[in-house]
Each structure stands twice: as structure tokens, then as C-alpha cells.
Amino acid sequence: HEAAPFIQGWKANVGKHRLEPVTAPGEVLLTAVRSDNPDVIAGSIVAEAVEAIVRDVVGDPWNSDLYQRLEEAIRTQVREILLRAGDVEYLTPLIDLARTQVGGVDIATLNYDLTIENCAAQNGIDADRGADDMPLGAPAGFDPHSLLRLYKIHGSIDLREEPRTTRATRAARVTRDASSDEFAPSIVIGDRDKLGSGGRTLALLVGFAQALQDATKLVVVGYSFADHHVNAIITDWLAGDPERTLVAVDPSWPTTKTWSMDFRAYLTQELSAGGLSRI
């Protein structure tokens, strides 16, 4: 389930709110093994303990509804927290760049908040997010003449999911006033569904990759390079032209040029060959 990465550390306790008091199945099994009491070593007690241990490891279908409600609660809480964003003046340089750079600017974000949209509105610019309520199966509908094209690849807190059926016409619809009522927004949570076809992720990824083809410089701020599908797009773009450069604003950027599991270290090595750094 999408919410699994958030709860792997305590998933063994999910659903046990119905059981009081709670005894760890491992303790029950250990007690049975060490005991001579026939009531403690009864086959049913041992079997239930083993079943509980296995269920904690492989998952429990009985909890599927609980996981679903948990996901909705997480998404609703994320929305409510991100609506509290305050001063967005620090983003004004992005708006200035959109105004001064020929062709405007393309911004891709994995965040769900509305800070860029709000900053753009305060400065008299519309943030083009493509057709948020675009028809199913259609590409991301960005206006090439927009000054600021915003690719919210993992969704937005002002998007509502639409039921996906054979008669559906939209994947999501925009709620212009995201604070008007409570709803679980259309956002991607966790690793499993980041490339899922249920929302707009794939269409926006394709649009972002196409927009990159017209760029000679990519500036990365606040991204940990932990999303493989985004890293693949960046790698392909860099490989497509040796003149393309990457600017990373990251105070924790690894200083070593040796390869490691950290994709940033890999980039440092790959883009610093021959004494001419492209990063």
C-alpha cells in the first residue's frame, strides 16, 4: 500500500487497537516453549502466536481497510499542514526569472504545496500547471507561451481525485479554494505508486522530459535525488548533449568523487571528467 513506507516501523501494531491488553506474539511463543503448563502450551495458543508473527511479516489482509483509511487521513493531514504556508516572498526570484528569461521558465516540483502559485499570483503572473483537470489519456496541456510552467509531478493539495471508470473524463479536478472543506487531495504518497497510472504522474513526467530538451542548464534546489524515475530523466538529458550543465543548491552535497549509492556522488564523478566540470 502507498502508505506502507510511513508505517513500516510500527506496522506490527496496526489493527491491534481492538485487542486489549496486547501481548507480543513472540513473547507468547517463548513462554509456551519454556513452560510445562498445558494451558500455556496449548496448540491453539502456539498456532495463534505463529500466525501473528507471520502476519506481521507478510501483511494482514484484515487490515486493508485500516490502511486505506490511514492513507486518506495522511493525505488530509498533509493538505491541512501545507495550507498553513506563510510568507512566500523568498520565491520571488523565480518569478523574476520567468519575466526576464526568453521563453519564461519551466519548474518541476515533487512538492504538493501552493507556494509557487501563491507567489506568482502576488506578482501578477499565472502559474501554468497544465490542464489540471485534463482529459484521461491526454498529454499535459501546457501553453508554450506561458511565462511560468509548473510541473507538479506528485500532485497538489488543491486537486481532488476523480473515480477512474470507463465513463470517466478526468483524472482529477481542481478545488480553487483548497481550504473550503476537508478532502483527501490527489497526491502521491510513498514509493510504490510514484509511477502509477492512476493520476497525472506519467503525463507530467513526459511533459517535464520534453521541456528539458529545450534547456541548456538545470538548477536543482531542495531535491535529494532519491526518486529513480526523476533521476533517469536527468541522466538522459545530461547524456544527450555534453554542453548541458547542472547547478545543484545543496549544503549537504557529498564532496567525494568516488561512486557510491548516493546518486549525487555518482553525478559528481560523471560530470567532472577531464577537468571540465558540468556540475
Side-chain angles (χ1 to χ4, degrees):
H1 191 276
E2 294 172 358
F6 289 89
I7 57 180
Q8 286 176 347
W10 47 271
K11 68 178 181 179
N13 292 318
V14 172
K16 289 183 179 178
H17 61 284
R18 304 182 188 180
L19 306 175
E20 293 184 0
V22 176
T23 302
E27 296 178 4
V28 174
L29 190 59
L30 186 60
T31 300
V33 170
R34 293 176 173 176
S35 176
D36 294 327
N37 187 335
D39 293 331
V40 175
I41 62 176
S44 59
I45 293 178
V46 174
E48 289 175 2
V50 172
E51 180 183 352
I53 294 172
V54 173
R55 187 165 54 240
D56 286 344
V57 174
V58 303
D60 184 1
W62 176 75
N63 285 329
S64 59
D65 177 64
L66 192 64
Y67 278 93
Q68 180 65 33
R69 286 186 284 123
L70 174 64
E71 178 201 350
E72 293 177 0
I74 289 176
R75 290 197 287 153
T76 300
Q77 286 297 310
V78 166
R79 168 185 166 274
E80 293 178 0
I81 291 171
L82 294 182
L83 278 173
R84 302 171 193 165
D87 185 11
V88 294
E89 186 178 356
Y90 68 97
L91 292 171
T92 301
L94 293 178
I95 312 304
D96 295 339
L97 179 62
R99 283 198 175 108
T100 58
Q101 182 170 253
V102 176
V105 66
D106 293 277
I107 301 176
T109 179
L110 305 182
N111 294 344
Y112 318 128
D113 59 69
L114 303 176
T115 52
I116 294 179
E117 295 95 314
N118 291 341
C119 187
Q122 292 175 12
N123 287 273
I125 287 184
D126 289 328
D128 181 3
R129 303 196 325 197
D132 281 319
D133 56 349
M134 64 184 184
L136 290 177
F142 287 87
D143 183 349
H145 302 293
S146 297
L147 292 180
L148 195 161
R149 295 168 294 277
L150 180 59
Y151 298 75
K152 303 191 78 169
I153 295 173
H154 287 169
S156 180
I157 60 173
D158 63 346
L159 286 178
R160 290 177 184 248
E161 289 186 347
E162 291 292 317
R164 185 173 291 269
T165 68
T166 55
R167 297 182 180 181
T169 58
R170 297 289 189 271
R173 61 187 174 92
V174 184
T175 300
R176 293 301 176 188
D177 183 4
S179 61
S180 60
D181 57 3
E182 292 187 4
F183 64 92
S186 178
I187 58 178
V188 174
I189 289 181
D191 293 329
R192 190 195 73 174
D193 203 45
K194 284 185 176 177
L195 287 179
S197 56
R200 310 174 68 249
T201 299
L202 293 179
L204 289 173
L205 276 173
V206 171
F208 171 50
Q210 292 174 339
L212 267 182
Q213 295 306 309
D214 296 326
T216 57
K217 178 183 292 185
L218 173 64
V219 180
V220 182
V221 184
Y223 171 54
S224 63
F225 290 89
D227 289 81
H228 299 303
H229 53 292
V230 177
N231 292 347
I233 291 176
I234 294 175
T235 301
D236 290 350
W237 173 76
L238 288 167
D241 188 337
E243 298 299 318
R244 291 170 177 168
T245 58
L246 174 70
V247 177
V249 182
D250 185 347
S252 63
W253 191 272
T255 56
T256 177
K257 293 184 179 181
T258 58
W259 183 89
S260 73
M261 294 301 291
D262 191 324
F263 187 76
R264 298 173 302 172
Y266 163 78
L267 282 177
T268 300
Q269 178 186 8
E270 289 293 305
L271 301 180
S272 301
L276 298 175
S277 180
R278 297 170 59 195
I279 185 169

